[in-house]
Amino acid sequence: TELSKSNPTSLLLHGPRKVVKQKFLAAADHVIDTYRTNDSQPIYEKDWERARTMASHALAVDPDDTVRGKVRVCEGHLARINGTAHRSPQELNLAVEKFEEAEKLLPGSPDPHLGLARVYVYGLKDIDKGYEALQQAQQRGYVLGSREKALLVDGYRDRADRLWWD
């Protein structure tokens, strides 16, 4: 910003801007990729906050829909975590909105659907929508792992418990 002064689109800054954006995106992608590929390593709220911050910095350097989609994925996970922890329907619905926006911005990515599945199963207690979200992730090349199978098991068990008590 300081180098560009009054001309933020200066061609002289294209190279440095690209490198800075790549570094920010690499930090955000590390968290998103770890969540997608590693069933056994938990991703905590602080990790999602850091990823959102890095993706937001990349967005400020060079805005585009892919980066905006990654910001929305991070925001969706943060809203999901807060909504589940506080049993807040508003936060859970915000998470759904963020993931749906990310889905539009990242049409070939399974990441928004993986987040939606967790919101639907653990937060909103809707196993059918959670299962549909996992199917959408599979259509985008994602292979269900033990975390997703456990998610489905928990959802169906929760449904059975509710039916039993009803």
Side-chain angles (χ1 to χ4, degrees):
T1 302
E2 188 176 321
L3 291 173
S4 68
K5 305 257 189 232
S6 63
N7 187 8
T9 59
S10 171
L11 290 176
L12 296 173
L13 296 177
H14 177 70
R17 183 177 288 119
K18 184 178 177 182
V19 171
V20 168
K21 179 183 176 181
Q22 287 174 345
K23 294 289 186 185
F24 283 137
L25 271 182
D29 283 341
H30 175 71
V31 173
I32 294 169
D33 292 344
T34 300
Y35 180 79
R36 184 184 334 112
T37 60
N38 194 340
D39 286 350
S40 61
Q41 183 176 351
I43 304 296
Y44 299 105
E45 184 176 10
K46 290 289 183 195
D47 298 320
W48 287 116
E49 287 172 354
R50 187 178 69 252
R52 179 189 57 194
T53 300
M54 292 298 126
S56 295
H57 289 324
L59 190 62
V61 170
D62 186 20
D64 69 42
D65 284 348
T66 301
V67 179
R68 191 170 285 109
K70 291 179 182 193
V71 171
R72 295 299 175 262
V73 167
C74 296
E75 290 172 344
H77 279 289
L78 288 168
R80 169 188 63 80
I81 291 167
N82 288 326
T84 304
H86 300 116
R87 291 181 174 35
S88 168
Q90 295 86 2
E91 282 287 326
L92 294 169
N93 289 326
L94 177 63
V96 169
E97 288 176 27
K98 295 293 184 181
F99 286 128
E100 287 175 347
E101 186 178 346
E103 177 186 1
K104 291 174 186 155
L105 295 167
L106 302 168
S109 173
D111 298 320
H113 300 284
L114 295 175
L116 277 170
R118 287 185 70 94
V119 171
Y120 286 134
V121 173
Y122 290 129
L124 298 173
K125 308 296 184 193
D126 189 340
I127 184 64
D128 296 326
K129 285 186 178 180
Y131 179 72
E132 184 180 315
L134 288 177
Q135 285 182 319
Q136 290 293 322
Q138 281 183 302
Q139 288 177 0
R140 285 157 178 80
Y142 185 75
V143 177
L144 295 184
S146 59
R147 176 182 55 213
E148 290 75 30
K149 291 173 185 171
L151 176 98
L152 290 173
V153 167
D154 290 343
Y156 285 118
R157 186 188 63 232
D158 185 55
R159 177 190 275 175
D161 288 345
R162 281 183 282 140
L163 285 171
W164 170 259
W165 290 109
D166 285 349

